[in-house]
Amino acid sequence: MWWNSSAGNNNVSSQASGAYCFRPNGTTPFPMNPTQVPKTSVTSGSLFQQMTQVWNDWASQTFTLFAGAKFLEVEATIGPIPIKDDLGKEVIARYQTNLNTNSKWYTDSEGQEFQERIRLDT
């Protein structure tokens, strides 16, 4: 999914979306491709299971579960992001699960460190 990015030219803020500044222009995200489901491929073996979703020619995701691992590896490939429609895009991934995590989850910054995140319910 993606949100239209803010140009920063409004009464609320002059800060535009950009590197390290997630500032969507709205509250409802757009689907990657509203007319079709992603192309999906699955690979399964004794060492890992992997699923790849290709949303369009500029966005895909790969999920890998290694045998015995207590984590899921997620890799997203984004770009180049099309701008012929004159819309900047804040690309997001939204996950939904029934795991009881007490609103905590962890992200990895390029393999350098894990960051604990806490979802704020509004």
Side-chain angles (χ1 to χ4, degrees), residues 12-72:
V12 177
S13 175
S14 61
Q15 174 68 54
S17 291
Y20 308 105
C21 182
F22 178 75
R23 189 153 181 273
N25 185 14
T27 58
T28 304
F30 297 95
M32 282 294 191
N33 190 337
T35 60
Q36 64 189 122
V37 297
K39 294 177 185 171
T40 303
S41 63
V42 176
T43 303
S44 185
S46 61
L47 299 178
F48 67 90
Q49 297 174 25
Q50 188 174 70
M51 180 186 75
T52 299
Q53 295 176 307
V54 178
W55 294 94
N56 52 39
D57 61 348
W58 57 272
S60 65
Q61 284 182 297
T62 299
F63 302 88
T64 306
L65 181 60
F66 293 96
K70 295 182 179 181
F71 61 89
L72 176 70

Side-chain angles (χ1 to χ4, degrees), residues 5 17 26 28 30 47-48 55 62 65 73-74 77-78 81-83 88 90 93-94 96 110 115:
S5 58
S17 291
T28 304
F30 297 95
L47 299 178
F48 67 90
W55 294 94
T62 299
L65 181 60
E73 182 177 286
V74 180
T77 303
I78 307 294
I81 298 173
I83 57 172
E90 298 279 6
R94 181 179 288 171
Q96 194 169 351
E110 302 294 331
Q115 294 288 318

Side-chain angles (χ1 to χ4, degrees), residues 97-106 116-119:
T97 179
N98 61 358
L99 294 173
N100 182 6
T101 65
N102 295 320
S103 297
K104 290 183 183 179
W105 56 290
Y106 297 86
E116 181 180 88
R117 309 292 183 169
I118 299 174
R119 186 187 74 234

